[in-house]
């Protein structure tokens, strides 16, 4: 159980650090961290929606309110960025 707790704590720290690299204007993530805040791939953040959703759904009780809200806000930024781009393609 101690190893599971350590793994979950480490995972929460990594997710929190990754969310800090989200571009506040576009809601996108850089492919490589040294490129921050430039985001070359428009759909890098769209590919992260499913894993972020399943993290929130599966670990909601463990995440804590602060990290859950941070992930949810990040997902909303991605959706706001991705929906207008999708409408241009269709």
């Amino acid at each position: 159980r101690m190893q599971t707790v350590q793994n979950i704590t480490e995972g929460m720290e990594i997710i929190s650090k990754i969310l800090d690299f989200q571009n506040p204007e576009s809601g996108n993530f850089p492919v490589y961290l040294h490129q921050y805040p430039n985001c070359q791939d428009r759909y890098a953040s769209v590919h992260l929606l499913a894993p972020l959703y399943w993290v929130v759904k599966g670990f909601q009780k463990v995440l804590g309110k602060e990290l859950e809200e941070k992930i949810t806000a990040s997902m909303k930024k991605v959706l706001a960025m991705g929906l207008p781009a999708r409408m241009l393609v269709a």
Side-chain angles (χ1 to χ4, degrees):
R1 289 191 181 269
M2 282 302 293
Q3 189 171 5
T4 304
V5 171
Q6 290 173 347
N7 290 341
I8 290 174
T9 305
E10 182 181 355
M12 288 172 39
E13 290 173 6
I14 291 171
I15 290 173
S16 179
K17 289 177 184 178
I18 288 173
L19 293 177
D20 290 337
F21 283 98
Q22 186 175 23
N23 189 321
E25 296 171 6
S26 68
N28 206 356
F29 289 93
V31 176
Y32 301 105
L33 294 181
H34 70 274
Q35 294 177 340
Y36 180 78
N38 299 326
C39 302
Q40 303 296 328
D41 185 5
R42 279 184 75 163
Y43 298 104
S45 59
V46 175
H47 294 293
L48 293 175
L49 277 176
L52 289 176
Y53 169 78
W54 288 111
V55 165
V56 170
K57 182 159 174 78
F59 298 97
Q60 188 173 15
K61 294 179 182 176
V62 179
L63 288 176
K65 191 74 170 166
E66 182 181 329
L67 186 57
E68 180 186 351
E69 289 175 355
K70 192 173 180 180
I71 293 172
T72 305
S74 173
M75 291 170 59
K76 287 180 182 179
K77 286 181 192 175
V78 172
L79 287 172
M81 183 270 312
L83 287 177
R86 176 70 180 141
M87 290 179 186
L88 292 174
V89 174

